[in-house]
Amino acid sequence: MSYQDHIIEMSQLIKSKNGTWDGISAEAVARMRLQNRFKTGLEIARYTADIMRKDMAAYDEDPANYTQSLGCWHGFIAQQKLISIKKHFGTTERKYIYLSGWMVAALRSEFGPLPDQSMHEKTSVPALIEEIYTFLKQADARELGGLFRELDAAGAAGDAAKQEQLIEAIDGFQTHVVPIIADIDAGFGNAEATYLLAKKMIEAGACALQIENQVSDEKQCGHQDGKVTVPHDDFLAKVRAVRYAFLELGIDNGVVVTRTDSLGAGLTKQIAVSHQPGDIGDQYNAFLDCEEIDPADMKNGDVVLNRGGKLLRPKRLPSNLFQFRAGTGEDRCVLDSITSLQNGADLLWIETEKPHIDQIAGMMDRIRAVIPNAKLAYNNSPSFNWTLNFRQQVFDAWAKAGKDVSAYDREKLMSVDYDATALAIEADERIRTFQADAAKRAGIFHHLITLPTYHTAALSTDNLAREYFGNQGMLGYVLGVQRQEIRQGIACVRHQNMSGSDIGDDHKEAFAGEAALKAGGVHNTMNQFA
């Protein structure tokens, strides 16, 4: 509904109250309605799910249409990210938010900083989703509030052309609300627990939930050792639980992202149930590290498998976990991915140990041979040493091509001494084009960085602390922060405005008219940054 249509509708409603609502401004209501487009999290989930489905179709047509996100651990961080995106690119298209369970554990748990092992309160995840969307909606209200103030100024100046231009901008306003891909870890318990948490996350606004195939009570960060997977039937029960949650809440387009940690997971807690040779349980068990035994050699408590008339004893560790055969990780990833897509998943996530396009593409080629439109969400992880990895990739490529690499020590390529070399320059160019190249070659629809704002907060704080508590004193803040905010047009340099002060003034005026006590007068020091 347009700005003018809102005004007309409200004017008619106010008039119908026979004078008792005459203190209500139809235009003020219209503005508040436009500033609060989304009334519930489910409205957000429905809206953003449609965006993701449209973007997925666009990627299928052309892999140049890949999408991106940065992980955010606070609503303010997400808000500033989207404000910056709109400022620099004029649109939020194909730009999402990633919500990382790692960052929730490390930064948002009431227990204090925790490792990424599903020990944080499960309610902290939907709480962060709700917080992020609260801040994004406030960004809408703030930007629209600025347009309304300009509209009032144009009206006061009698500039009809400017008024028309501003009304067009208001009617064509693009919201800061974008899709969130939210990490539900391994489901925080059994399938019922997964379903209940998924509902909370969807009700908070999440349109896409990412779930992994690790054991819930043994869950590890994808870039740590000791990962333990579950049989496919166990995992698929949780995938279905997530889909049921979406469907129950009316989000028919909800996106399920299934993550496999099998590449780095050498252990399983359970032997899969198998009903007949070749079924999914039998395929899972075929990867177990087993030894053939004679019935006479069986020991008390042994677990044995019958395969083709042979008795096989899986290797069981003192932890009571079973071990997979070495070198089977890629095959298990491919099976995990195909099985997930055949059972309701929409996107895949393969957690790798390095960012190597050929490795990812090798698995995706096998998956796409069965499911041609298979797509990945890929973690451009800060757990990778990108500089070292790509310098080593270039070194290896040069060596394979017969190029002289005698000037380089492969194990010391991270050294600053190499920063200006041809090898380092080529490696940086490969990093720069990694997302576009991987989207085209390896089926990556969505590129995300899980923990970027964790690292940027630490880095910027370190820089400020070094200067402010050192010889620079206050100049350390002014040079490194405030002057840069002013020069670069960072919106929150006017932090009173960013926190909602002007929105509050607009409301006070609507509520109390001339009697309103407003904060944005001539003595407000925020005016120094106008």
Side-chain angles (χ1 to χ4, degrees):
M1 188 183 296
S2 72
Y3 180 53
Q4 295 296 345
D5 287 341
H6 275 295
I7 294 174
I8 291 169
E9 183 180 278
M10 283 300 99
S11 296
Q12 292 172 345
L13 178 60
I14 292 167
K15 186 177 180 180
S16 73
K17 300 303 179 181
N18 300 318
T20 60
W21 283 17
D22 285 356
I24 301 293
S25 163
E27 189 162 22
V29 175
R31 293 180 177 187
M32 293 168 76
R33 281 188 166 190
L34 290 173
Q35 287 174 303
N36 186 28
R37 171 179 171 181
F38 301 99
K39 309 303 186 291
T40 69
L42 288 178
E43 288 183 24
I44 292 172
R46 192 171 295 112
Y47 168 77
T48 53
D50 287 342
I51 290 175
M52 279 198 71
R53 293 292 179 172
K54 175 178 68 69
D55 289 347
M56 289 162 70
Y59 174 82
D60 287 340
E61 292 294 322
D62 182 354
N65 295 320
Y66 62 89
T67 57
Q68 299 168 290
S69 66
L70 296 174
C72 298
W73 53 273
H74 193 281
F76 176 74
I77 301 296
Q79 179 197 64
Q80 293 307 300
K81 185 184 97 170
L82 267 297
I83 288 174
S84 295
I85 286 170
K86 287 193 74 175
K87 179 182 76 173
H88 291 298
F89 306 106
T91 179
T92 61
E93 289 182 3
R94 302 203 305 276
K95 309 294 192 294
Y96 301 170
I97 289 169
Y98 180 67
L99 190 154
S100 161
W102 193 102
M103 285 208 286
V104 171
L107 299 169
R108 300 304 300 262
S109 171
E110 292 185 10
F111 293 110
L114 294 171
D116 183 23
Q117 295 172 355
S118 289
M119 293 190 291
H120 55 281
E121 310 87 343
K122 64 177 71 175
T123 53
S124 58
V125 184
L128 179 53
I129 297 168
E130 183 177 7
E131 175 184 290
I132 286 173
Y133 280 127
T134 297
F135 273 81
L136 295 185
K137 291 194 293 180
Q138 194 260 10
D140 283 358
R142 174 188 164 275
E143 187 176 332
L144 281 166
L147 292 173
F148 296 145
R149 285 169 178 252
E150 289 185 58
L151 182 62
D152 290 342
D159 189 341
K162 183 68 172 177
Q163 283 182 292
E164 185 176 342
Q165 178 186 354
L166 286 163
I167 289 173
E168 185 176 330
I170 291 165
D171 287 341
F173 178 80
Q174 186 182 47
T175 178
H176 295 81
V177 169
V178 298
I180 284 179
I181 298 177
D183 186 358
I184 198 169
D185 277 31
F188 287 88
N190 61 16
E192 174 69 6
T194 302
Y195 155 78
L196 293 171
L197 179 56
K199 285 213 303 180
K200 287 292 184 185
M201 294 170 73
I202 297 162
E203 287 168 342
C207 71
L209 301 183
Q210 167 227 326
I211 186 166
E212 60 204 66
N213 70 335
Q214 290 193 49
V215 175
S216 206
D217 60 350
E218 299 281 358
K219 181 258 191 298
Q220 297 275 18
C221 171
H223 295 282
Q224 293 180 325
D225 204 356
K227 293 183 291 296
V228 182
T229 63
V230 297
H232 294 88
D233 283 343
D234 295 50
F235 182 58
L236 294 177
K238 293 186 176 182
V239 172
R240 286 191 290 271
V242 173
R243 180 65 68 199
Y244 272 111
F246 273 124
L247 294 175
E248 177 183 337
L249 295 172
I251 314 300
D252 297 350
N253 263 355
V255 177
V256 179
V257 185
T258 50
R259 168 176 147 179
T260 174
D261 280 284
S262 289
L263 196 61
L267 304 170
T268 183
K269 197 168 188 177
Q270 299 164 258
I271 293 176
V273 174
S274 174
H275 299 288
Q276 57 186 11
D279 65 14
I280 194 63
D282 189 44
Q283 291 179 65
Y284 186 82
N285 294 338
F287 294 116
L288 292 170
D289 189 359
C290 299
E291 60 178 341
E292 185 177 349
I293 62 170
D294 187 272
D297 297 329
M298 290 180 62
K299 301 175 184 176
N300 185 52
D302 266 354
V303 173
V304 296
L305 300 175
N306 177 7
R307 181 170 296 131
K310 297 178 180 179
L311 284 182
L312 302 178
R313 179 166 55 202
K315 181 177 288 186
R316 185 158 60 174
L317 306 181
S319 60
N320 203 30
L321 300 173
F322 296 94
Q323 185 170 296
F324 290 113
R325 285 181 285 111
T328 62
E330 287 202 5
D331 290 340
R332 286 183 282 125
C333 277
V334 170
L335 180 62
D336 294 344
S337 299
I338 291 171
T339 304
S340 292
L341 291 175
Q342 289 175 334
N343 288 272
D346 301 295
L347 289 174
L348 301 172
W349 175 316
I350 297 176
E351 196 75 348
T352 65
E353 80 288 355
K354 60 183 178 293
H356 198 293
I357 292 176
D358 289 341
Q359 178 196 30
I360 304 163
M363 289 183 281
M364 283 302 290
D365 286 346
R366 294 171 63 188
I367 295 165
R368 285 183 150 188
V370 179
I371 302 173
N373 68 339
K375 291 178 283 293
L376 273 177
Y378 185 71
N379 178 9
N380 293 212
S381 177
S383 294
F384 304 143
N385 184 332
W386 286 77
T387 301
L388 180 60
N389 267 293
F390 275 82
R391 287 181 182 182
Q392 289 181 337
Q393 287 179 38
V394 173
F395 180 97
D396 293 342
W398 284 8
K400 185 177 181 181
K403 194 169 182 176
D404 182 14
V405 291
S406 61
Y408 303 96
D409 183 338
R410 190 181 186 280
E411 300 309 312
K412 297 180 180 179
L413 289 174
M414 187 65 202
S415 171
V416 68
D417 296 338
Y418 293 121
D419 283 0
T421 64
L423 184 146
I425 292 169
E426 181 173 328
D428 282 354
E429 179 62 13
R430 289 193 183 195
I431 294 171
R432 187 186 72 80
T433 63
F434 173 80
Q435 294 189 337
D437 294 343
K440 182 177 181 180
R441 173 66 187 92
I444 298 177
F445 159 73
H446 185 74
H447 284 279
L448 61 101
I449 307 179
T450 44
L451 321 175
T453 52
Y454 176 91
H455 292 280
T456 55
L459 179 62
S460 62
T461 302
D462 179 84
N463 291 338
L464 175 59
R466 181 188 65 234
E467 300 300 321
Y468 177 74
F469 292 105
N471 293 332
Q472 292 287 67
M474 190 58 196
L475 186 60
Y477 173 77
V478 172
L479 279 180
V481 181
Q482 189 180 80
R483 194 174 297 174
Q484 295 305 312
E485 288 180 304
I486 295 169
R487 297 284 188 261
Q488 296 179 39
I490 304 299
C492 69
V493 71
R494 300 176 71 235
H495 48 259
Q496 309 285 14
N497 166 269
M498 183 57 64
S499 70
S501 179
D502 288 341
I503 296 171
D505 276 358
D506 293 339
H507 291 170
K508 290 174 185 177
E509 188 171 11
F511 303 156
E514 294 182 357
L517 183 63
K518 297 192 287 185
V522 294
H523 298 298
N524 189 322
T525 58
M526 188 172 65
N527 295 328
Q528 297 173 24
F529 302 98

